Amino acid sequence: MDPDQLHPLQVNPQTQEPFLRLRKHENIILTPMRWQDAPHMVPIFNDVRVCNWMASPPFPFTLEDAEDWLAKRKPPVDNFLQHLKDAQGSESLVTAKGAPICSIREVNEDGTDLFIGVISFVRLFYGELMNTKSVDFERAEQNVAENSRLDVGDPRIIWSIGDFLAPSHHRQGIMTDAVDTLLHEWAIPRMGVRRIIVGAFTGNDGSVKVFEKNGFKHLRTIAEFKVIKGKMRGLHVLEWTSAESLEDHSLP
Ligand SMILES: CC(C)(COP(=O)(O)OP(=O)(O)OC[C@H]1O[C@@H](n2cnc3c(N)ncnc32)[C@H](O)[C@@H]1OP(=O)(O)O)[C@@H](O)C(=O)NCCC(=O)NCCS
């Protein structure tokens, strides 16, 4: 029998939406993005406990910003899902281009759910961080271009993780569980992820801990990384490599 290209995702029988349940928090699932998430993102990105640690969303963050945010990110994520659906009927599992499930939702007893955050795997966009031995601002653009040219499933791709969670749900182990679940149940087996480099602004102890608890190792701290939203920020850089990744897979 042909394999289910969505494996190991489950499908909601009412909505036909695929989802992945977190390993430890059984009432939390990851699903595709929904346009209706926009108004729920506004209070999250306007909360200092979130916006202070994020590089890109503007502050203050309006409904229009949320709609723009989704308009930029939802179509590629939907495309990851379509690619898998189009491959149904193939004899073996295809490599996914990305994770089609990235919105974090808390499921209520009556079956309704609440948008509480996002976790996504993206190709590393800070090219200056790609060489683990030094920070090379001059090669940054070239590194990003080379990394984005690598074919889906290439073990040399350097991935990164972007995430945020509603403050109402902080410190309950949810993001640690989300990284663990998405990494081991989707990114490694279905996307072929073998190497990940993440950055967290200095002071973001929660984010650093989430990654460390998932086996990421501290590579360096850059005291003055970049001026972001008018403020000079430092950056902790952490790396994760799978047991299967080999030294000679690294980019120069
Ligand atoms: C960073 C973030 C995703 C963490 O999510 P979370 O679900 O609250 O994290 P967890 O509950 O899994 O916490 C993991 C560990 O970090 C600790 N921790 C969490 N937040 C912390 C904080 N603000 N300060 C210090 N430690 C913190 C937890 O106590 C836990 O440690 P323990 O297991 O030893 O008790 C969340 O705080 C957030 O959304 N922050 C704003 C956005 C952001 O920083 N995104 C990441 C950008 S790099």
Side-chain angles (χ1 to χ4, degrees):
M1 206 171 78
D2 296 331
D4 177 10
Q5 296 294 336
L6 298 189
H7 177 82
L9 307 184
Q10 298 180 62
V11 174
N12 179 319
Q14 264 88 48
T15 62
Q16 301 306 311
E17 194 181 50
F19 67 92
L20 184 64
R21 198 178 292 284
L22 295 199
R23 287 174 158 183
K24 295 195 176 118
H25 295 74
E26 291 190 356
N27 62 330
I28 310 277
I29 59 172
L30 305 178
T31 79
M33 291 177 175
R34 299 179 196 153
W35 295 117
Q36 307 92 286
D37 293 336
H40 301 285
M41 293 172 58
V42 176
I44 299 177
F45 279 152
N46 278 322
D47 191 305
V48 287
R49 290 168 290 180
V50 172
C51 67
N52 186 36
W53 305 115
M54 311 276 302
S56 60
F59 180 82
F61 191 81
T62 63
L63 180 59
E64 202 182 18
D65 292 326
E67 287 163 352
D68 288 349
W69 193 97
L70 274 173
K72 203 170 145 204
R73 289 162 179 84
K74 188 178 178 321
V77 172
D78 290 346
N79 179 267
F80 301 151
L81 182 59
Q82 195 55 49
H83 167 241
L84 296 171
K85 287 182 173 172
D86 291 345
Q88 293 288 23
S90 307
E91 282 175 16
S92 54
L93 282 179
V94 298
T95 304
K97 298 186 207 172
I101 33 98
C102 53
S103 292
I104 310 174
R105 303 184 194 279
E106 183 175 49
V107 182
N108 302 311
E109 277 184 10
D110 63 3
T112 59
D113 59 40
L114 175 71
F115 171 87
I116 55 168
V118 165
I119 174 168
S120 59
F121 277 73
V122 290
R123 294 194 189 206
L124 183 62
F125 44 86
Y126 287 137
E128 57 274 38
L129 304 181
M130 283 183 193
N131 184 337
T132 36
K133 295 191 180 69
S134 62
V135 180
D136 189 348
F137 285 94
E138 279 180 18
R139 265 194 68 96
E141 269 185 43
Q142 202 183 331
N143 282 345
V144 169
E146 284 175 14
N147 198 38
S148 60
R149 273 199 296 271
L150 295 173
D151 286 338
V152 167
D154 192 317
R156 293 171 300 172
I157 297 172
I158 306 178
W159 293 91
S160 193
I161 297 177
D163 59 18
F164 65 86
L165 192 67
S168 52
H169 288 68
H170 283 183
R171 286 182 176 254
Q172 297 173 28
I174 294 174
M175 199 55 86
T176 301
D177 195 5
V179 171
D180 176 46
T181 305
L182 195 54
L183 179 61
H184 294 284
E185 298 200 14
W186 188 266
I188 297 171
R190 295 304 316 271
M191 292 164 62
V193 170
R194 296 293 178 265
R195 188 168 173 220
I196 308 170
I197 294 180
V198 291
F201 291 151
T202 46
N204 195 349
D205 299 340
S207 185
V208 168
K209 222 162 171 194
V210 164
F211 292 123
E212 284 178 344
K213 291 187 80 169
N214 275 289
F216 286 66
K217 302 286 177 235
H218 180 259
L219 269 182
R220 63 172 57 84
T221 296
I222 307 165
E224 296 197 330
F225 177 58
K226 263 181 194 173
V227 175
I228 291 168
K229 293 194 254 187
K231 197 172 155 194
M232 173 56 79
R233 305 301 297 253
L235 196 74
H236 296 300
V237 185
L238 295 96
E239 183 186 31
W240 173 92
T241 46
S242 93
E244 292 161 49
S245 66
L246 298 170
E247 269 296 305
D248 58 358
H249 279 154
S250 310
L251 284 171

